[in-house]
Amino acid sequence: MAQDWIEIRATGPGESKDLASSLLIASGSPGVQEETVDSVAGKLVSHSLWEEETQEEEDTSPVRVLKAYLPAGDEAALGTVKTNLSRIGWALETSFLKDTDWSEKWKKGLKPIKVKYRGFSVTVKPTWHKLKRSPGEILIDIDPGMAFGTGGHATTKMCLKSILRLVKSALLPKGPSILDVGTGTGVLAIAAVKLGFKKAAGTDIDKVALKVARKNASLNKTKLSLSAKDLSGVPGKYDLVAANILAGELTRLSRSLNDRIKPGGFLILSGILDSEQTAIEAAFSAIGLQKAFSFKEKEWVALVFGKPAR
Ligand SMILES: C[S@@+](CC[C@H](N)C(=O)[O-])C[C@H]1O[C@@H](n2cnc3c(N)ncnc32)[C@H](O)[C@@H]1O
């Protein structure tokens, strides 16, 4: 069935761009695209938050414009996001979009992303983008639909980089297993399988995301075991658990996340603003995990913990 959309155009101060972006995503937008205001020419330059970091030009303009999309009719989500954004000094304009217009606008903003770690790389591309695979390159096709995880958001990129680092530094056993909590499009679990993981499971509280992840698993010829179960109901233990969800939820789930890691295994946490890093480190150290390494990009931090072997 065709789905019509509300396009949100949010304008506010550059320093709270990442927070505004998180609020828009938390309200149910499948992602956020950015337009920068060229302060010299006064014109809007459209680019996506999903472009590779190295392709982005330094933008010093104080005002930012973010575009997000909510299903038409979701007045409650729109009201909440309006209130939350106004608290941090952001204003909204909205317009109605027919399903077909939305698809075209959305697709135009998505570009292939390459995530590198010491000469190794994973490229995530939208299905409709043609790209020739170079020898040894890991290529992942993603059709994001209504789910988060096109590969280019800083929080996803740092998860991919962490998985690359754990694999390439031989910190995991051969043919390891992964549990991806909040799988979205399935991008992390699919990348893991392509990097040699023998077992990959994903959970999401959003049934639409699970449907998208299932489609992407099939597009990439990878086997994922997907479930809408609450984390405490997920059986087994994994060499690697990854969770790219917001900091409050990570803290709430800390014990359940820890329970799913094998002794000697690892936990990747993302979706953390740098202002939240200290509290998250304290919460996960308090349950016996040891910080292994971290990555930082813009205002976001990803933390990787090791669980002591017995
Ligand atoms: C930021 S997206 C991450 C998607 C993908 N893993 C990535 O790294 O790009 C967070 C996802 O977590 C899901 N989510 C939020 N809270 C959750 C929870 N408690 N358990 C499982 N999934 C959750 C959301 O529905 C959303 O699809």
Side-chain angles (χ1 to χ4, degrees), residues 32-34 45-56 103-115 122-131 139-144 149-153 156-157 160 187:
V32 175
Q33 290 169 342
E34 183 183 355
V45 185
S46 207
H47 75 266
S48 166
L49 279 183
W50 286 295
E51 278 172 48
E52 193 185 351
E53 189 189 17
T54 50
Q55 292 170 354
E56 285 178 15
S103 304
E104 285 319 304
K105 280 201 167 199
W106 183 240
K107 283 183 173 183
K108 241 171 91 183
L110 300 178
K111 306 266 172 0
I113 306 296
K114 187 179 277 215
V115 175
V122 170
T123 300
V124 183
K125 71 169 195 64
T127 40
W128 53 90
H129 197 107
K130 298 278 168 258
L131 201 69
L139 206 55
I140 300 168
D141 270 292
I142 290 292
D143 189 340
T150 51
H153 193 267
T156 311
K157 284 201 273 179
L160 289 169
V187 60

Side-chain angles (χ1 to χ4, degrees), residues 148-149 156 180-184 187-188 203-206 244-245 249 252-253:
F148 183 102
T156 311
D180 176 16
V181 181
T183 196
V187 60
L188 303 181
T203 70
D204 208 294
I205 47 170
D206 177 359
N244 176 12
I245 47 187
E249 196 62 354
R252 189 184 73 78
L253 293 174

